Amino acid sequence: MLFRENDQAIYGNEPLSISNELSSKFAIYPNPAKTELFLSSTNGTGKVKAKIFNMEGKLLQTDDLNFEQQASLNVSNLSSGFYFLNLSDENGKVAVKKFIKE
């Protein structure tokens, strides 16, 4: 049985959601960014695919990153505005971060 309770979808007694544990392992800075966006990780993550989407959901940039604690993305080609950074690791875990390009 599916119903909503306190803005949470419930099936049986389990909440329906996507685990976002990868999101807590990444930080991005500076935000807003001018030319480069830095990513740091609380643990060594290895290979990560980074995708940048605009507010309409259009994929603008894809980068394959291989890093231990820190990596950077060149965002100088993006127009000023709001963007979503989608990070996915080798295990299929996904994190989504929002950032502003000055």
Side-chain angles (χ1 to χ4, degrees):
M1 174 181 224
L2 181 64
F3 62 93
R4 292 184 57 84
E5 179 179 291
N6 299 326
D7 292 328
Q8 186 178 40
I10 306 289
Y11 181 79
N13 62 354
E14 297 293 322
L16 297 175
S17 65
I18 297 172
S19 174
N20 202 8
E21 73 181 59
L22 186 63
S23 185
S24 64
K25 295 180 182 176
F26 283 100
I28 60 173
Y29 61 92
N31 195 4
K34 290 185 180 183
T35 58
E36 239 178 335
L37 185 65
F38 294 95
L39 295 86
S40 65
S41 173
T42 57
N43 64 339
T45 58
K47 294 181 182 179
V48 174
K49 182 172 286 290
K51 297 179 184 177
I52 297 176
F53 294 88
N54 65 12
M55 293 298 289
E56 290 81 34
K58 181 179 178 185
L59 177 63
L60 302 176
Q61 182 175 325
T62 302
D63 293 287
D64 290 317
L65 306 174
N66 190 3
F67 70 97
E68 294 300 318
Q69 299 292 320
Q70 185 174 336
S72 65
L73 292 170
N74 182 345
V75 295
S76 62
N77 63 326
L78 299 175
S79 302
S80 295
F82 293 92
Y83 295 92
F84 294 100
L85 175 62
N86 179 302
L87 303 166
S88 55
D89 70 7
E90 296 172 304
N91 298 319
K93 294 179 182 172
V94 176
V96 177
K97 299 285 189 177
K98 295 175 257 183
F99 73 95
I100 300 169
K101 166 63 168 66
E102 284 187 334

